[in-house]
Amino acid sequence: MRLKKGLGQHLLISGGVVEKIVSELEPEGLDVVEIGGGTGYLTRELLKKGPRSLTVIEIDPRMAERLQTIGDPRLRVLEADATSFDLCTVGESLILCGNLPYNVWAGIIERVIICHPCVERGVFMLQKETALKLTGKEKPGWLGIFFRTYFDAVYLMSVPARFFVPKPKVSSGVVRFSKKHAEGVPSELKKYKEFLTSLFTSPRKMLRKKFPQELLAQAGIEGTRRAEELSLEEILRLYNVYGGA
Ligand code: SAH
């Protein structure tokens, strides 16, 4: 089958990496959703680990057809776009997995955040730089902060480009995440996202140029600080005095 670059089709060919992903996921007896099934290497390994169900979301009809041929009663293949798919239609406490297509990772991560009430945890392979941002190992942008508001995320390992066919230009990284069950996370996602995107519009600008001094003082943040230097806790404090919650 000809692989489509535009759909981010870089297939994993390392048994060791696939094994690591499924063992970190611990899908036994649970409802699993795989995003971007491709030719089904990861899909087959997931099925071996005894999930209660496995739903694969795959946009490419040729791949979806091929995945159907695995023919396992626990497997359901949905030909759909993961950036707009409502995960909560699959189950209430989902375990997510996937070697994500790099061109649409941001849309998929945003989708996972929006659907967080029905997502428990997961393991994703992403572009290394993105994986570092999502786990707070590198300066995050608004999406990294948005993600870490709802999920704890750890960077598991880097995966060199030679473990994929065709070889991507960049290295990859594996991230494990689990939902925070903390009180006080922003419940109005649209409003919180707007706050974050505007906060990060010019991340190096001093905050006193963006917010009234009084508001910053109330949040206990110096006006000379910049958005990119703030911790998640400080951002949440600022959001709360700004009128969120
Ligand atoms: N899991 C496989 C394939 C990973 S490549 C493996 O590890 O080998 C990424 C896959 O995501 C491709 O099969 C591609 O067709 C699919 N994909 C790309 N964009 C998508 C989208 N918006 N929604 C769902 N799947 C998508």
Side-chain angles (χ1 to χ4, degrees), residues 82-195:
T83 63
S84 56
F85 184 81
D86 183 1
L87 292 166
C88 298
T89 58
V90 176
E92 287 176 351
S93 186
L94 302 172
I95 309 294
L96 307 185
C97 192
N99 168 18
L100 299 189
Y102 297 147
N103 47 344
V104 290
W105 68 268
I108 292 173
I109 293 295
E110 197 175 333
R111 207 59 226 163
V112 170
I113 300 167
I114 292 167
C115 299
H116 77 271
C118 51
V119 173
E120 210 45 53
R121 55 187 172 81
V123 178
F124 282 152
M125 167 106 72
L126 301 127
Q127 186 171 335
K128 183 173 178 179
E129 198 193 317
T130 307
L132 290 169
K133 284 185 177 174
L134 287 182
T135 51
K137 289 198 151 222
E138 235 171 55
K139 269 185 206 157
W142 72 269
L143 189 55
I145 293 290
F146 201 21
F147 187 66
R148 286 196 293 120
T149 302
Y150 300 94
F151 296 96
D152 286 313
V154 288
Y155 189 85
L156 290 181
M157 62 173 176
S158 303
V159 181
R162 65 185 149 85
F163 288 161
F164 300 85
V165 166
K167 220 166 99 171
K169 288 200 182 75
V170 293
S171 299
S172 300
V174 181
V175 170
R176 188 183 59 212
F177 58 94
S178 56
K179 184 163 64 184
K180 292 181 180 173
H181 288 278
E183 297 281 310
V185 288
S187 54
E188 287 183 61
L189 273 86
K190 195 164 169 277
K191 188 170 163 194
Y192 183 49
K193 177 187 162 180
E194 278 167 13
F195 169 79

Side-chain angles (χ1 to χ4, degrees), residues 25-96:
L25 194 67
E26 300 182 351
E28 294 82 359
L30 302 170
D31 295 316
V32 180
V33 176
E34 184 190 351
I35 296 176
T39 50
Y41 190 9
L42 185 55
T43 316
R44 286 186 183 81
E45 291 305 314
L46 282 168
L47 285 168
K48 284 185 198 162
K49 293 277 175 186
R52 182 165 76 171
S53 70
L54 175 57
T55 304
V56 184
I57 302 167
E58 171 56 61
I59 203 169
D60 185 337
R62 302 167 314 155
M63 295 285 190
E65 201 177 308
R66 185 161 165 172
L67 289 162
Q68 296 282 11
T69 65
I70 295 175
D72 187 296
R74 296 163 299 173
L75 177 67
R76 190 160 66 120
V77 181
L78 301 177
E79 192 189 313
D81 182 345
T83 63
S84 56
F85 184 81
D86 183 1
L87 292 166
C88 298
T89 58
V90 176
E92 287 176 351
S93 186
L94 302 172
I95 309 294
L96 307 185

